[in-house]
């Protein structure tokens, strides 16, 4: 077996399966609790099922992976030939996933560096890809961590949601902010800031909010070489159209991904979500 640095992330990175396989990235699933069923994100619950449950106002919650699941993953990766592991995860402000990984890393058979990227969705995915590229080139654990952290610092994520109610229910945004949005009948734009989901702007209509989302993303990209991801939940046509407009507006775009978010993020944002991740190369 060849000795190498392995990259582990979690299911909220929303990397395409073929991309993960090509780069040897392992994802540990978070759990979605739908009624009395605990289901692994990515394999046991579809986003369509989630959207239907949310629209019917069925109780939906999420939970972190257990430290035991991380420990099993680290052991399996080490047995495949890894001499070290870089474990990259969604913001610790949003989930206990990072803490579970830290606990498991203490018992791992090879050195594990656990990183709170302060991001989520393809913002996390781009960090994992940056680390994997360094590992594939023979880089060390420290070099892979540095690449991931550099990518994270040059990445921004913006979101449009139809309502703040789902974020309020999950405790990801303050009740006062959610109540204000509902009372004014505004369409909120959000951003990841310091690992937290913060209210960025309030816009009066959905069409104006999506146009503003496009403008913010294009301005953030500027003329730099960037990769872009457009996320959605139950809004494929809007996502595809937004991606086309961004491709036309951003002169130096490299990879441009369009994908539906998984059940964990979807549970906290609700159907109609549009998100844009801008990541400097």
């Amino acid at each position: 077996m060849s000795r190498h640095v392995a990259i582990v992330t979690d299911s909220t990175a929303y990397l395409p399966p073929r991309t993960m396989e090509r780069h040897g990235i392992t994802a540990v699933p978070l759990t979605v609790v739908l009624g009395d069923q605990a289901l692994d994100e990515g394999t046991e619950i579809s986003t369509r099922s989630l959207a239907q449950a949310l629209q019917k106002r069925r109780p939906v919650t999420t939970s972190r992976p257990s430290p035991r699941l991380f420990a099993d993953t680290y052991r399996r990766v080490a047995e495949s030939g890894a001499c070290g592991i870089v474990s990259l995860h969604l913001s610790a402000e949003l989930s206990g996933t990072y803490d579970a990984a830290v606990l498991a890393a203490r018992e791992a058979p090879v050195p594990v560096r656990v990183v709170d990227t302060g991001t989520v969705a393809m913002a996390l995915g781009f960090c994992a890809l940056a680390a994997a590229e360094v590992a594939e080139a023979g880089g060390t654990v420290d070099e892979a961590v540095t690449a991931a952290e550099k990518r994270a610092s040059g990445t921004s994520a913006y979101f449009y949601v139809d309502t703040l109610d789902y974020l309020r229910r999950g405790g990801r945004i303050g009740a006062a902010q959610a109540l204000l949005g509902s009372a004014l009948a505004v369409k909120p734009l959000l951003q990841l800031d310091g690992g937290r989901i913060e209210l960025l702007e309030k816009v009066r209509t959905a069409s104006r909010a999506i146009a503003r989302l496009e403008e913010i993303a294009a301005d953030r990209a500027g003329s730099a070489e960037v990769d872009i991801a457009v996320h959605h939940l139950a809004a494929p046509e809007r996502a595809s159209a937004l991606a086309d407009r961004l491709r036309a507006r951003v002169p130096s775009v490299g990879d441009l991904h369009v994908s539906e978010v998984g059940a964990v993020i979807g549970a906290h944002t609700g159907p109609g979500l549009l998100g844009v991740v801008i990541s400097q190369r």
Side-chain angles (χ1 to χ4, degrees), residues 6 8-10 70 74 85-90 92 96-108 110-117 141-142 145 148-149:
V8 173
T9 187
D10 59 68
F70 271 113
Y74 295 152
I85 299 170
V86 177
S87 198
L88 303 160
H89 299 293
L90 80 159
T97 299
Y98 169 80
D99 294 330
V102 169
L103 289 172
R106 297 171 183 169
E107 302 176 5
V110 296
V112 180
R113 284 280 299 279
V114 183
V115 180
D116 171 12
T117 67
V141 166
D142 287 346
V145 168
E149 291 177 337

Side-chain angles (χ1 to χ4, degrees), residues 13 17 39 50 88 91 104 123 132 150 162 170 214 226 256 261:
L39 306 167
L50 171 77
L88 303 160
S91 172
K150 182 178 179 181
D162 279 332
E214 176 188 337
V226 296
L256 199 161
V261 298

